[in-house]
Amino acid sequence: IERRSDRLVGDCELELRSDGFVHIMYGILPTARGKGYASDAVQLLLDHRRTVWPNMPLLFRINANNAPSIALARRAGAAFDHVERTVEGRELQRWVLA
């Protein structure tokens, strides 16, 4: 929620996975993209992860054609791990921040 307008701009969360990763997820509504909300959300999630799961690696799973999210993962310090396919056939890039 944007504080100035009390308007919903997106959603974000962390998920502790059984494979030893903390999965970072965020989505910004189309009308709010390009305004830094995703960067703010990722920073908040990184800070929270350092407090709750400080020694667990962080996993970004990003649609292969989503250049802004790939750039955001890079800026956060994540490194490309590999490409996976979902059961629906979507190609996702896995980026890991140790």
Side-chain angles (χ1 to χ4, degrees):
I1 298 204
E2 183 184 57
R3 290 185 181 151
R4 288 177 286 139
S5 68
D6 206 30
R7 167 177 76 104
L8 181 66
V9 296
D11 183 33
C12 64
E13 65 182 284
L14 294 174
E15 171 192 41
L16 180 59
R17 295 169 42 119
S18 61
D19 62 2
F21 285 96
V22 176
H23 186 197
I24 186 168
M25 296 170 279
Y26 54 91
I28 305 300
L29 296 172
T31 56
R33 291 181 185 155
K35 298 180 174 126
Y37 295 122
S39 296
D40 292 347
V42 167
Q43 189 57 57
L44 288 169
L45 293 171
L46 289 174
D47 292 345
H48 184 68
R49 176 251 190 173
R50 280 186 203 101
T51 301
V52 179
W53 300 295
N55 299 317
M56 298 191 73
L58 192 65
L59 174 65
F60 292 79
R61 296 173 71 229
I62 305 169
N63 283 317
N65 62 352
N66 189 337
S69 282
I70 290 169
L72 183 53
R74 277 190 182 122
R75 282 195 309 274
F80 176 76
D81 185 48
H82 68 274
V83 173
E84 67 177 63
R85 286 212 180 269
T86 67
V87 293
E88 298 87 15
R90 288 185 320 164
E91 188 175 285
L92 298 177
Q93 291 187 8
R94 290 173 54 107
W95 290 75
V96 175
L97 177 61

